[in-house]
Amino acid sequence: MLLLIIQLYRMNTVILVLGASGQIGTELTQKLRKIYGSNHVIASDIREGSEELMPSGPFEIIDATDKIKILETVKKYNVTQVYLLAAMLSATAEKMPEKAWNLNMNSLLAVLDLAKENHIQQVYWPSSIAVFGPSTPKINTPQQTIMQPSTVYGISKVSGEYWCNYYHEKYGVDVRSLRYPGIISWKTKPGGGTTDYAVDIYFKALEDKKYECFLSENTRLPMMYMNDAVNATIQLMQAKPKDIKIRTSYNLAAIDFTPKEISEEIKKHIPDFQISYQTDFRQAIADSWPSSIDDSEARQDWKWHHDFDLQSMTEDILKNLK
Ligand code: SER
């Protein structure tokens, strides 16, 4: 009986992924297609995606701030859920504050409005560790704490969290969110983030056996392997509404490490790998963020757990990239 209900739920679910060509979008779309079926997951982005993504199911070119185009697509495919992953990350946003604000905010408000108007039933929107700032407790940062972010990206994410909560409280919108740490992947690279070094380092280690890091050796940041991030996202969206007790955004954590520690781990596989340090403006962004996150509420409310630590992630990435 339960299996039948799950089957029916999946058959009635049609997902639109906005930002499907990006780092998280690429892998999340593929996983959703495995679960719900290719034709039940509509990928979209402002540009085409990878060679792997494009032939795997329907794709639409959509600017995530274009509410009319999103609505057209929702109607065309009878979309029930939107995953909004289009965003400008922290480092790029510092260079283009207005553009970042417009993209990050207008896309969210467009999607929340479509849910409020009952065109869609469920929304996923990622927040980030960037909601925290220099005055936030740095170690095991709690769910509820001082936020005061010092970056444009962080300001847009804090504001977005309160919009999500507002639409939930006021209009009953079923919007769910996670505060992602730095996400590490090997299929698609991130762009314009402060945690990107932890992706680039693997590529450079294999190509050149050396890497110049833009953060200092002891900068500790919360991180997570892509497989865990994708699982967390889908698990959150599949949880029963009564188990979702936080409608701003959930703290989410897996591992934390410094550039020195990740380079030591890589050296176990590539003994002559060398790291050097040349910090730039991204150091100040990293310094304003937590070193580790307390995600006990996610673990308690919808039974989140992570699978990958620094060692198993490094093994998996190097094996796949080789
Ligand atoms: N990975 C993001 C960034 O570095 C943080 O959410 O901007």
Side-chain angles (χ1 to χ4, degrees):
M1 185 64 183
L2 185 66
L3 275 177
L4 190 70
I5 295 170
I6 294 172
Q7 198 73 20
L8 276 173
Y9 167 79
R10 290 192 180 163
M11 277 165 58
N12 289 324
T13 300
V14 180
I15 296 168
L16 171 63
V17 182
L18 296 165
S21 303
Q23 185 205 12
I24 300 171
T26 302
E27 296 201 36
L28 185 62
T29 303
Q30 301 291 56
K31 184 75 183 267
L32 288 169
R33 283 184 169 157
K34 279 206 187 99
I35 299 171
Y36 294 97
S38 293
N39 290 327
H40 284 239
V41 182
I42 321 307
S44 80
D45 204 294
I46 200 152
R47 60 187 163 92
E48 290 198 347
S50 66
E51 277 170 25
E52 203 185 327
L53 176 76
M54 292 310 287
S56 70
F59 184 92
E60 298 276 342
I61 293 283
I62 302 181
D63 170 348
T65 62
D66 185 347
K67 189 182 167 193
I68 294 168
K69 176 75 188 178
I70 301 171
L71 179 57
E72 268 171 33
T73 314
V74 163
K75 287 188 172 157
K76 179 172 164 190
Y77 294 97
N78 296 314
V79 168
T80 59
Q81 300 183 0
V82 173
Y83 286 61
L84 168 55
L85 298 168
M88 197 183 284
L89 294 184
S90 59
T92 317
E94 288 307 293
K95 293 184 176 153
M96 297 183 244
E98 210 180 316
K99 216 169 158 188
W101 178 257
N102 286 338
L103 170 61
N104 295 359
M105 287 288 82
N106 293 343
S107 56
L108 176 61
L109 290 172
V111 172
L112 288 176
D113 272 336
L114 292 175
K116 173 188 159 193
E117 292 155 12
N118 289 319
H119 296 294
I120 45 177
Q121 292 158 18
Q122 234 187 338
V123 176
Y124 176 75
W125 176 80
S127 184
S128 160
I129 52 164
V131 293
F132 301 116
S135 52
T136 304
K138 246 185 159 15
I139 298 173
N140 279 329
T141 302
Q143 175 70 41
Q144 311 277 2
T145 186
I146 304 167
M147 303 229 262
Q148 301 184 334
S150 58
T151 62
V152 174
Y153 178 65
I155 297 170
S156 76
K157 289 295 179 187
V158 173
S159 312
E161 285 193 9
Y162 285 109
W163 276 120
C164 290
N165 195 55
Y166 183 85
Y167 272 71
H168 177 74
E169 295 284 316
K170 192 120 184 156
Y171 309 118
V173 168
D174 187 358
V175 53
R176 304 174 182 201
S177 177
L178 299 171
R179 289 173 181 155
Y180 287 140
I183 307 291
I184 300 159
S185 61
W186 55 270
K187 285 191 183 161
T188 310
K189 285 192 183 183
T194 301
T195 56
D196 295 9
Y197 91 84
V199 175
D200 294 337
I201 195 168
Y202 288 106
F203 284 84
K204 291 282 184 206
L206 287 171
E207 277 164 22
D208 305 336
K209 294 199 166 45
K210 58 177 199 268
Y211 178 66
E212 187 180 275
C213 186
F214 56 77
L215 298 182
S216 63
E217 62 179 342
N218 294 322
T219 307
R220 181 174 299 282
L221 287 171
M223 301 277 187
M224 179 178 289
Y225 193 33
M226 179 64 84
N227 304 36
D228 280 329
V230 165
N231 287 341
T233 307
I234 296 173
Q235 210 182 320
L236 175 79
M237 287 297 273
Q238 290 181 340
K240 294 195 187 92
K242 70 165 180 48
D243 293 332
I244 309 296
K245 304 204 167 94
I246 291 168
R247 294 291 182 161
T248 47
S249 189
Y250 274 97
N251 274 10
L252 189 74
I255 45 184
D256 54 80
F257 54 77
T258 64
K260 187 165 180 212
E261 286 166 359
I262 191 176
S263 71
E264 295 299 329
E265 199 56 45
I266 292 173
K267 271 187 205 158
K268 290 183 188 164
H269 303 265
I270 308 171
D272 48 351
F273 173 64
Q274 284 184 345
I275 185 164
S276 56
Y277 302 92
Q278 186 64 53
T279 61
D280 65 18
F281 73 102
R282 289 170 283 191
Q283 183 66 46
I285 301 179
D287 287 341
S288 78
W289 290 349
S291 302
S292 58
I293 298 284
D294 174 358
D295 66 348
S296 45
E297 302 203 34
R299 289 176 192 263
Q300 198 180 307
D301 290 359
W302 42 276
K303 311 292 169 245
W304 151 248
H305 70 94
H306 68 279
D307 290 326
F308 284 87
D309 58 16
L310 178 57
Q311 193 184 335
S312 51
M313 175 181 80
T314 300
E315 272 166 22
D316 200 60
I317 295 177
L318 292 176
K319 182 183 81 199
N320 279 295
L321 278 182
K322 271 179 191 156

